[in-house]
Structures are given as C-alpha cells and as structure tokens.
Amino acid sequence: DAMVIQNPRYQVTQFGKPVTLSCSQTLNHNVMYWYQQKSSQAPKLLFHYYDKDFNNEADTPDNFQSRRPNTSFCFLDIRSPGLGDAAMYLCATSRVGTNNEKLFFGSGTQLSVL
Amino acid sequence: GQNIDQPTEMTATEGAIVQINCTYQTSGFNGLFWYQQHAGEAPTFLSYNVLDGLEEKGRFSSFLSRSKGYSYLLLKELQMKDSASYLCAVSDSNYQLIWGAGTKLIIKP
C-alpha cells in the first residue's frame, strides 16, 4: 500500500546530541512537510518542500534543518536538541501544495530528550 | 492574527450524537479540514468543506458557514473507538493550513 513511513517510531536522545529523523513516501507526492506537535497543541509547521524547493517557516529555530535528497525521502536534523524540543514530529505529504489537497501523515516520531 | 477556536475537551456517551464546533478568523479562506488523531498517533483526514452546507460521510458529517466563520463536525452512533482528538484546520489565502489545538473527545460506555 502506498504510504508515508517514519522511522524510528520512538527516539531518545541526550541534551545537545544531534539527532536525525527520517521520512519516506511511496505516494510520489510533490510536497513533503515536517510538523512539530506537543501534547494537546496544534501541529506546528517547521518547513516544507515543494519538489526540491525548500520553504522554511519564519519562526522555525536554526537548530532545525531538513534535507530532501530525492522525491521519496526527507530528513529532519536537530543539531543540538534541548529539553523543549521533546515532541511528536510528524511528516506529511500532499500531491501539490497550491491546491487544497489533503495531507497524508506518517505515524510520527516521538522524540524524548534526556 | 489568525485564530482557530475549538473546545478543549468534550465527553459523550456510546451510541449518542456529539457536535464539535470550530470557529475561525483567518486571512482569506480556501477550505476547512477536519482530522481525527488518536493518542500518540498521526492525524487522519476526515472531511473537507469549501462551500456552505453539510457534507455527510457515513456516521460523520461536517458543516460550514463561511459568513459566520464557523464549522462543526457531527458524529453519530458514537463508538468507543471514536475517542480521539478532532483537529480543525483552515486553508488561508496562501493555502497555508492554520490548525486548531484540537478537541479531545471522551466516550463513556
């Protein structure tokens, strides 16, 4: 089945230790998104790619970086995780970004920072 | 600023009907989405409204009034598995999604 896959499901890292979260999709969608979601809060968009074009949200900290080496894969790098970065990280895709296409989400990566 | 308001939490009884409201103030409007999110899982798409009126899909229906900046999600014949958070999201004039914080729905037997 076509889907959005995130690995790992749970990630534990140490304060200040770089961590990378991965996302892959078999939907062949143009747009890939990274969201951060803390408990009982709205998902917060960090950045998105329209094909190879990278779009950073104005309030996304520099500590967060992203790479999209090809259509299928997208990575979220947190260079120096702080305690406040503990959250669920959601990867999502949509077919196009300029129309009202629904988002397809991966299962998320729950990040803990010790 | 842009804002989506939903009740934080609601409780309903198995087999009953519940209505979850969403009001919004956004710069432009290009449609409203409802997503369901079970605890610790990713959101899944439920419905999309861009024109006024009611959209029915099985046990779930979604209503939109653009003039009032208002939507609701109606869940009928509630089942225990409907216990989840329900997120309202509006697509603004730039097709950016503005998300509500979600309504946690608790179903009691």
Side-chain angles (χ1 to χ4, degrees), chain A residues 47-66:
Chain A
F47 18 61
H48 73 277
Y49 282 90
Y50 189 108
D51 293 326
K52 287 188 176 293
D53 293 334
F54 176 71
N55 297 273
N56 196 31
E57 293 302 299
D59 57 354
T60 298
D62 292 339
N63 196 26
F64 291 84
Q65 303 285 320
S66 183

PDB file of all heavy atoms in Angstrom, chain A residues 47-66:
ATOM      1  N   PHE A  47       8.856  23.261   8.296  1.00  0.00           N
ATOM      2  CA  PHE A  47       9.204  23.585   6.909  1.00  0.00           C
ATOM      3  C   PHE A  47       8.514  22.622   5.964  1.00  0.00           C
ATOM      4  O   PHE A  47       7.944  21.621   6.382  1.00  0.00           O
ATOM      5  CB  PHE A  47      10.725  23.563   6.633  1.00  0.00           C
ATOM      6  CG  PHE A  47      11.560  22.833   7.638  1.00  0.00           C
ATOM      7  CD1 PHE A  47      11.390  21.477   7.880  1.00  0.00           C
ATOM      8  CD2 PHE A  47      12.536  23.502   8.350  1.00  0.00           C
ATOM      9  CE1 PHE A  47      12.176  20.807   8.796  1.00  0.00           C
ATOM     10  CE2 PHE A  47      13.331  22.843   9.265  1.00  0.00           C
ATOM     11  CZ  PHE A  47      13.159  21.504   9.495  1.00  0.00           C
ATOM     12  N   HIS A  48       8.597  22.970   4.669  1.00  0.00           N
ATOM     13  CA  HIS A  48       8.076  22.051   3.677  1.00  0.00           C
ATOM     14  C   HIS A  48       8.888  22.188   2.398  1.00  0.00           C
ATOM     15  O   HIS A  48       9.541  23.208   2.165  1.00  0.00           O
ATOM     16  CB  HIS A  48       6.581  22.267   3.436  1.00  0.00           C
ATOM     17  CG  HIS A  48       6.232  23.507   2.668  1.00  0.00           C
ATOM     18  ND1 HIS A  48       6.126  24.743   3.252  1.00  0.00           N
ATOM     19  CD2 HIS A  48       5.950  23.681   1.352  1.00  0.00           C
ATOM     20  CE1 HIS A  48       5.787  25.634   2.345  1.00  0.00           C
ATOM     21  NE2 HIS A  48       5.678  25.026   1.179  1.00  0.00           N
ATOM     22  N   TYR A  49       8.839  21.138   1.605  1.00  0.00           N
ATOM     23  CA  TYR A  49       9.471  21.111   0.294  1.00  0.00           C
ATOM     24  C   TYR A  49       8.390  20.995  -0.761  1.00  0.00           C
ATOM     25  O   TYR A  49       7.511  20.142  -0.663  1.00  0.00           O
ATOM     26  CB  TYR A  49      10.381  19.883   0.145  1.00  0.00           C
ATOM     27  CG  TYR A  49      11.711  19.980   0.817  1.00  0.00           C
ATOM     28  CD1 TYR A  49      11.876  19.563   2.137  1.00  0.00           C
ATOM     29  CD2 TYR A  49      12.822  20.462   0.144  1.00  0.00           C
ATOM     30  CE1 TYR A  49      13.104  19.637   2.750  1.00  0.00           C
ATOM     31  CE2 TYR A  49      14.063  20.535   0.748  1.00  0.00           C
ATOM     32  CZ  TYR A  49      14.193  20.123   2.060  1.00  0.00           C
ATOM     33  OH  TYR A  49      15.421  20.192   2.668  1.00  0.00           O
ATOM     34  N   TYR A  50       8.486  21.837  -1.764  1.00  0.00           N
ATOM     35  CA  TYR A  50       7.712  21.618  -2.974  1.00  0.00           C
ATOM     36  C   TYR A  50       8.728  21.146  -4.005  1.00  0.00           C
ATOM     37  O   TYR A  50       9.516  21.936  -4.528  1.00  0.00           O
ATOM     38  CB  TYR A  50       7.013  22.898  -3.439  1.00  0.00           C
ATOM     39  CG  TYR A  50       6.032  22.648  -4.550  1.00  0.00           C
ATOM     40  CD1 TYR A  50       4.669  22.727  -4.324  1.00  0.00           C
ATOM     41  CD2 TYR A  50       6.466  22.314  -5.837  1.00  0.00           C
ATOM     42  CE1 TYR A  50       3.755  22.485  -5.339  1.00  0.00           C
ATOM     43  CE2 TYR A  50       5.565  22.069  -6.842  1.00  0.00           C
ATOM     44  CZ  TYR A  50       4.211  22.158  -6.600  1.00  0.00           C
ATOM     45  OH  TYR A  50       3.310  21.896  -7.604  1.00  0.00           O
ATOM     46  N   ASP A  51       8.688  19.863  -4.294  1.00  0.00           N
ATOM     47  CA  ASP A  51       9.767  19.211  -5.050  1.00  0.00           C
ATOM     48  C   ASP A  51      11.082  19.508  -4.327  1.00  0.00           C
ATOM     49  O   ASP A  51      11.229  19.150  -3.176  1.00  0.00           O
ATOM     50  CB  ASP A  51       9.785  19.691  -6.505  1.00  0.00           C
ATOM     51  CG  ASP A  51       8.566  19.231  -7.271  1.00  0.00           C
ATOM     52  OD1 ASP A  51       8.083  18.111  -6.975  1.00  0.00           O
ATOM     53  OD2 ASP A  51       8.086  19.954  -8.162  1.00  0.00           O
ATOM     54  N   LYS A  52      12.034  20.148  -4.967  1.00  0.00           N
ATOM     55  CA  LYS A  52      13.304  20.445  -4.293  1.00  0.00           C
ATOM     56  C   LYS A  52      13.337  21.819  -3.648  1.00  0.00           C
ATOM     57  O   LYS A  52      14.333  22.192  -3.007  1.00  0.00           O
ATOM     58  CB  LYS A  52      14.453  20.331  -5.307  1.00  0.00           C
ATOM     59  CG  LYS A  52      14.795  18.895  -5.695  1.00  0.00           C
ATOM     60  CD  LYS A  52      16.057  18.863  -6.533  1.00  0.00           C
ATOM     61  CE  LYS A  52      16.465  17.432  -6.855  1.00  0.00           C
ATOM     62  NZ  LYS A  52      16.898  16.678  -5.679  1.00  0.00           N
ATOM     63  N   ASP A  53      12.283  22.590  -3.865  1.00  0.00           N
ATOM     64  CA  ASP A  53      12.248  23.943  -3.298  1.00  0.00           C
ATOM     65  C   ASP A  53      11.925  23.896  -1.813  1.00  0.00           C
ATOM     66  O   ASP A  53      10.861  23.429  -1.407  1.00  0.00           O
ATOM     67  CB  ASP A  53      11.198  24.788  -4.020  1.00  0.00           C
ATOM     68  CG  ASP A  53      11.572  25.064  -5.458  1.00  0.00           C
ATOM     69  OD1 ASP A  53      12.791  25.051  -5.751  1.00  0.00           O
ATOM     70  OD2 ASP A  53      10.666  25.293  -6.266  1.00  0.00           O
ATOM     71  N   PHE A  54      12.846  24.425  -1.027  1.00  0.00           N
ATOM     72  CA  PHE A  54      12.732  24.392   0.427  1.00  0.00           C
ATOM     73  C   PHE A  54      12.061  25.655   0.931  1.00  0.00           C
ATOM     74  O   PHE A  54      12.402  26.764   0.500  1.00  0.00           O
ATOM     75  CB  PHE A  54      14.136  24.270   1.022  1.00  0.00           C
ATOM     76  CG  PHE A  54      14.174  24.316   2.520  1.00  0.00           C
ATOM     77  CD1 PHE A  54      13.686  23.260   3.267  1.00  0.00           C
ATOM     78  CD2 PHE A  54      14.706  25.422   3.180  1.00  0.00           C
ATOM     79  CE1 PHE A  54      13.737  23.289   4.652  1.00  0.00           C
ATOM     80  CE2 PHE A  54      14.756  25.456   4.557  1.00  0.00           C
ATOM     81  CZ  PHE A  54      14.270  24.395   5.301  1.00  0.00           C
ATOM     82  N   ASN A  55      11.104  25.498   1.841  1.00  0.00           N
ATOM     83  CA  ASN A  55      10.380  26.632   2.421  1.00  0.00           C
ATOM     84  C   ASN A  55      10.434  26.534   3.940  1.00  0.00           C
ATOM     85  O   ASN A  55       9.864  25.617   4.536  1.00  0.00           O
ATOM     86  CB  ASN A  55       8.921  26.627   1.952  1.00  0.00           C
ATOM     87  CG  ASN A  55       8.811  26.813   0.456  1.00  0.00           C
ATOM     88  OD1 ASN A  55       8.777  27.918  -0.050  1.00  0.00           O
ATOM     89  ND2 ASN A  55       8.782  25.698  -0.261  1.00  0.00           N
ATOM     90  N   ASN A  56      11.134  27.475   4.527  1.00  0.00           N
ATOM     91  CA  ASN A  56      11.312  27.486   5.974  1.00  0.00           C
ATOM     92  C   ASN A  56      10.290  28.429   6.592  1.00  0.00           C
ATOM     93  O   ASN A  56      10.111  29.552   6.115  1.00  0.00           O
ATOM     94  CB  ASN A  56      12.735  27.968   6.275  1.00  0.00           C
ATOM     95  CG  ASN A  56      13.164  27.659   7.676  1.00  0.00           C
ATOM     96  OD1 ASN A  56      12.746  26.675   8.251  1.00  0.00           O
ATOM     97  ND2 ASN A  56      13.996  28.511   8.238  1.00  0.00           N
ATOM     98  N   GLU A  57       9.625  27.996   7.665  1.00  0.00           N
ATOM     99  CA  GLU A  57       8.735  28.904   8.372  1.00  0.00           C
ATOM    100  C   GLU A  57       9.581  29.927   9.134  1.00  0.00           C
ATOM    101  O   GLU A  57      10.666  29.609   9.634  1.00  0.00           O
ATOM    102  CB  GLU A  57       7.838  28.143   9.346  1.00  0.00           C
ATOM    103  CG  GLU A  57       6.850  27.226   8.661  1.00  0.00           C
ATOM    104  CD  GLU A  57       5.930  27.953   7.704  1.00  0.00           C
ATOM    105  OE1 GLU A  57       5.186  28.850   8.161  1.00  0.00           O
ATOM    106  OE2 GLU A  57       5.957  27.633   6.505  1.00  0.00           O
ATOM    107  N   ALA A  58       9.065  31.151   9.224  1.00  0.00           N
ATOM    108  CA  ALA A  58       9.851  32.255   9.789  1.00  0.00           C
ATOM    109  C   ALA A  58      10.275  31.990  11.235  1.00  0.00           C
ATOM    110  O   ALA A  58      11.356  32.419  11.661  1.00  0.00           O
ATOM    111  CB  ALA A  58       9.051  33.550   9.700  1.00  0.00           C
ATOM    112  N   ASP A  59       9.438  31.279  11.978  1.00  0.00           N
ATOM    113  CA  ASP A  59       9.749  31.085  13.396  1.00  0.00           C
ATOM    114  C   ASP A  59      10.359  29.718  13.694  1.00  0.00           C
ATOM    115  O   ASP A  59      10.433  29.316  14.859  1.00  0.00           O
ATOM    116  CB  ASP A  59       8.489  31.306  14.239  1.00  0.00           C
ATOM    117  CG  ASP A  59       7.345  30.398  13.838  1.00  0.00           C
ATOM    118  OD1 ASP A  59       7.489  29.678  12.821  1.00  0.00           O
ATOM    119  OD2 ASP A  59       6.313  30.398  14.527  1.00  0.00           O
ATOM    120  N   THR A  60      10.804  29.000  12.671  1.00  0.00           N
ATOM    121  CA  THR A  60      11.483  27.718  12.911  1.00  0.00           C
ATOM    122  C   THR A  60      12.905  27.990  13.371  1.00  0.00           C
ATOM    123  O   THR A  60      13.657  28.692  12.688  1.00  0.00           O
ATOM    124  CB  THR A  60      11.497  26.867  11.631  1.00  0.00           C
ATOM    125  OG1 THR A  60      10.158  26.574  11.251  1.00  0.00           O
ATOM    126  CG2 THR A  60      12.266  25.571  11.843  1.00  0.00           C
ATOM    127  N   PRO A  61      13.284  27.461  14.538  1.00  0.00           N
ATOM    128  CA  PRO A  61      14.641  27.737  15.048  1.00  0.00           C
ATOM    129  C   PRO A  61      15.724  27.206  14.112  1.00  0.00           C
ATOM    130  O   PRO A  61      15.525  26.191  13.429  1.00  0.00           O
ATOM    131  CB  PRO A  61      14.660  26.978  16.383  1.00  0.00           C
ATOM    132  CG  PRO A  61      13.237  26.776  16.753  1.00  0.00           C
ATOM    133  CD  PRO A  61      12.489  26.646  15.471  1.00  0.00           C
ATOM    134  N   ASP A  62      16.882  27.869  14.128  1.00  0.00           N
ATOM    135  CA  ASP A  62      18.012  27.446  13.294  1.00  0.00           C
ATOM    136  C   ASP A  62      18.518  26.060  13.665  1.00  0.00           C
ATOM    137  O   ASP A  62      19.214  25.413  12.889  1.00  0.00           O
ATOM    138  CB  ASP A  62      19.178  28.446  13.441  1.00  0.00           C
ATOM    139  CG  ASP A  62      18.826  29.791  12.840  1.00  0.00           C
ATOM    140  OD1 ASP A  62      17.909  29.841  11.997  1.00  0.00           O
ATOM    141  OD2 ASP A  62      19.464  30.787  13.222  1.00  0.00           O
ATOM    142  N   ASN A  63      18.198  25.632  14.851  1.00  0.00           N
ATOM    143  CA  ASN A  63      18.569  24.314  15.352  1.00  0.00           C
ATOM    144  C   ASN A  63      17.961  23.186  14.509  1.00  0.00           C
ATOM    145  O   ASN A  63      18.428  22.051  14.539  1.00  0.00           O
ATOM    146  CB  ASN A  63      18.048  24.222  16.795  1.00  0.00           C
ATOM    147  CG  ASN A  63      18.664  23.115  17.568  1.00  0.00           C
ATOM    148  OD1 ASN A  63      19.776  22.692  17.283  1.00  0.00           O
ATOM    149  ND2 ASN A  63      17.919  22.612  18.563  1.00  0.00           N
ATOM    150  N   PHE A  64      16.921  23.512  13.763  1.00  0.00           N
ATOM    151  CA  PHE A  64      16.235  22.525  12.933  1.00  0.00           C
ATOM    152  C   PHE A  64      16.637  22.719  11.471  1.00  0.00           C
ATOM    153  O   PHE A  64      16.574  23.834  10.938  1.00  0.00           O
ATOM    154  CB  PHE A  64      14.713  22.678  13.047  1.00  0.00           C
ATOM    155  CG  PHE A  64      14.158  22.301  14.387  1.00  0.00           C
ATOM    156  CD1 PHE A  64      14.139  23.204  15.429  1.00  0.00           C
ATOM    157  CD2 PHE A  64      13.643  21.034  14.602  1.00  0.00           C
ATOM    158  CE1 PHE A  64      13.637  22.863  16.674  1.00  0.00           C
ATOM    159  CE2 PHE A  64      13.123  20.681  15.834  1.00  0.00           C
ATOM    160  CZ  PHE A  64      13.114  21.595  16.871  1.00  0.00           C
ATOM    161  N   GLN A  65      17.045  21.620  10.856  1.00  0.00           N
ATOM    162  CA  GLN A  65      17.417  21.643   9.445  1.00  0.00           C
ATOM    163  C   GLN A  65      16.690  20.484   8.762  1.00  0.00           C
ATOM    164  O   GLN A  65      16.231  19.542   9.414  1.00  0.00           O
ATOM    165  CB  GLN A  65      18.927  21.469   9.275  1.00  0.00           C
ATOM    166  CG  GLN A  65      19.764  22.507  10.021  1.00  0.00           C
ATOM    167  CD  GLN A  65      19.745  23.851   9.354  1.00  0.00           C
ATOM    168  OE1 GLN A  65      19.798  23.934   8.136  1.00  0.00           O
ATOM    169  NE2 GLN A  65      19.665  24.924  10.144  1.00  0.00           N
ATOM    170  N   SER A  66      16.631  20.572   7.437  1.00  0.00           N
ATOM    171  CA  SER A  66      15.973  19.498   6.704  1.00  0.00           C
ATOM    172  C   SER A  66      16.693  19.235   5.400  1.00  0.00           C
ATOM    173  O   SER A  66      17.381  20.118   4.856  1.00  0.00           O
ATOM    174  CB  SER A  66      14.516  19.874   6.428  1.00  0.00           C
ATOM    175  OG  SER A  66      13.839  18.826   5.774  1.00  0.00           O
TER     176      SER A  66
END
